[in-house]
Amino acid sequence: EDGAVRPFSAVVETPRSPNTIAIRNTAHMEFPLDACVVADASDVGSAGPLDSPTLGGSAQTIQGGALRTYSFEPNVESVQVLLKTDGRPLNARMELLQGPNNIKQVVELYCEDGMERPFFAVLETPGSGNVVRILNTSTLEFPLTARVEPYLIGSLGGAMEPTIGGDVPRF
């Protein structure tokens, strides 16, 4: 919805060369897109911090045609997403929602080998009521594995959030 509020950053593995990454803006001409592709992001691990065994939570298998949602507390400022397969094609749609059926960001992705080329992204999640929805758009024979976890966690009660509960008594 607003790329300045919710910038998108992703890490795409590109084993064996040459490789090509295509970025397409499917919106109308009135909605331009700024993009930057950097080769060799040496400050990020092979598949990002989600492959670290020290993180809590676990990966979930999403069968072909299935949908999973992941909701987050209001103090989560950004979310990390890792999608991969066991060597089969990876075909998915990832959405960031804020409120019921209010889609703020959509990423449709495909790669021919989700083990060799896993998809890692960090999504900014300002405000409250954020939900990441992942749809495996492949057929039943092509499951994917997803890990969706908080990346940056801020303090509760940001400047743009309302305070619920009334006034603070003054003595």
Side-chain angles (χ1 to χ4, degrees), residues 35-132:
C36 177
V37 177
V38 178
D40 191 26
S42 60
D43 60 335
V44 179
S46 65
L50 279 174
D51 270 351
S52 170
T54 60
L55 286 176
S58 62
Q60 281 192 317
T61 299
I62 304 175
Q63 297 296 331
L67 174 77
R68 292 281 187 276
T69 59
Y70 304 86
S71 57
F72 296 94
E73 298 293 325
N75 63 333
V76 175
E77 295 176 0
S78 61
V79 172
Q80 54 187 350
V81 179
L82 176 67
L83 302 177
K84 59 184 179 178
T85 66
D86 59 355
R88 299 175 186 177
L90 172 63
N91 201 354
R93 178 180 169 103
M94 181 174 59
E95 301 171 340
L96 175 64
L97 294 91
Q98 192 171 30
N101 291 326
N102 185 7
I103 299 173
K104 297 293 184 178
Q105 199 168 40
V106 176
V107 176
E108 292 183 3
L109 58 108
Y110 170 79
C111 73
E112 63 186 31
D113 186 342
M115 179 187 285
E116 221 172 54
R117 292 180 174 87
F119 178 79
F120 174 75
V122 175
L123 304 172
E124 299 294 323
T125 57
S128 61
N130 289 297
V131 174
V132 173

Side-chain angles (χ1 to χ4, degrees), residues 23 33-37:
I23 299 173
L33 171 76
D34 289 331
C36 177
V37 177

